[in-house]
């Protein structure tokens, strides 16, 4: 059973909030068939600790602004700013410093799971605008 529509909405909203704060290598992985504790992982990277924290703050703000407000039940790693985990039950968001992302390679660990498509709306708008 793949991730629910609610999980897709939360994941895409979190991914867009990360993209808005210049996160890179944003991936949404559907782990619903492999884990019973969550439906999807959102992975995002940043080059420094300050940006990691800014991305995390933006994600929390955007998910709280949804009609069905979403608040993390757990938040870990904020103090160091190297890898922050936000647990929303339906999704788990991992915002990692580039070095942690490369070292822990969650993308490779979960490579057998399908991804949920995500396209940064600003990037898509720029590509469509340049073709006119």
């Amino acid at each position: 059973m793949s991730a629910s529509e609610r999980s897709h909405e939360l994941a895409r909203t979190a991914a867009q909030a990360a993209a808005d704060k210049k996160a890179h290598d944003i991936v949404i992985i559907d782990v619903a068939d492999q884990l019973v504790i969550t439906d999807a992982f959102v992975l995002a990277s940043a080059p420094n600790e300050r940006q990691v924290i800014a991305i995390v703050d933006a994600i929390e703000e955007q998910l709280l602004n949804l009609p069905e407000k979403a608040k993390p039940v757990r938040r870990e790693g904020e103090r160091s700013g190297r890898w922050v985990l936000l647990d929303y039950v339906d999704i788990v968001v991992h915002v990692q410093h580039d070095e942690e992302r490369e070292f822990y390679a969650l993308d490779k660990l979960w490579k057998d799971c399908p991804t949920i498509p995500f396209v940064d709306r600003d990037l898509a708008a720029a590509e469509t605008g340049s073709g006119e």
Side-chain angles (χ1 to χ4, degrees):
M1 185 163 159
S2 64
S4 69
E5 273 305 310
R6 170 80 172 150
S7 298
H8 280 240
E9 177 189 14
L10 290 173
R12 287 192 180 114
T13 302
Q16 187 59 58
D20 291 346
K21 287 294 181 180
K22 307 300 181 216
H24 58 87
D25 296 329
I26 300 169
V27 178
I28 304 172
I29 303 172
D30 184 337
V31 295
D33 289 340
Q34 302 296 321
L35 294 175
V36 294
I37 57 171
T38 194
D39 284 349
F41 287 159
V42 177
L43 309 178
S45 301
N48 59 62
E49 291 84 355
R50 181 178 284 177
Q51 192 172 1
V52 167
I53 300 303
I55 292 165
V56 168
D57 290 345
I59 290 169
E60 284 191 302
E61 183 180 323
Q62 286 301 311
L63 292 179
L64 271 174
N65 287 334
L66 290 174
E68 294 179 28
K69 297 180 186 316
K71 190 173 182 180
V73 295
R74 192 172 64 183
R75 181 180 181 151
E76 294 183 12
E78 183 180 24
R79 191 171 296 156
S80 69
R82 302 286 295 180
W83 180 352
V84 179
L85 179 145
L86 299 172
D87 183 351
Y88 286 91
V89 181
D90 294 325
I91 67 166
V92 175
V93 179
H94 301 268
V95 182
Q96 298 174 298
H97 187 285
D98 291 338
E99 293 167 0
E100 270 66 13
R101 179 78 178 263
E102 186 177 336
F103 182 80
Y104 290 101
L106 294 179
D107 314 66
K108 291 178 184 159
L109 182 65
W110 296 97
K111 71 179 189 279
D112 293 337
C113 295
T115 58
I116 297 170
F118 166 72
V119 177
D120 178 359
R121 69 173 172 248
D122 294 337
L123 182 62
E127 288 176 1
T128 344
S130 65
E132 294 181 61

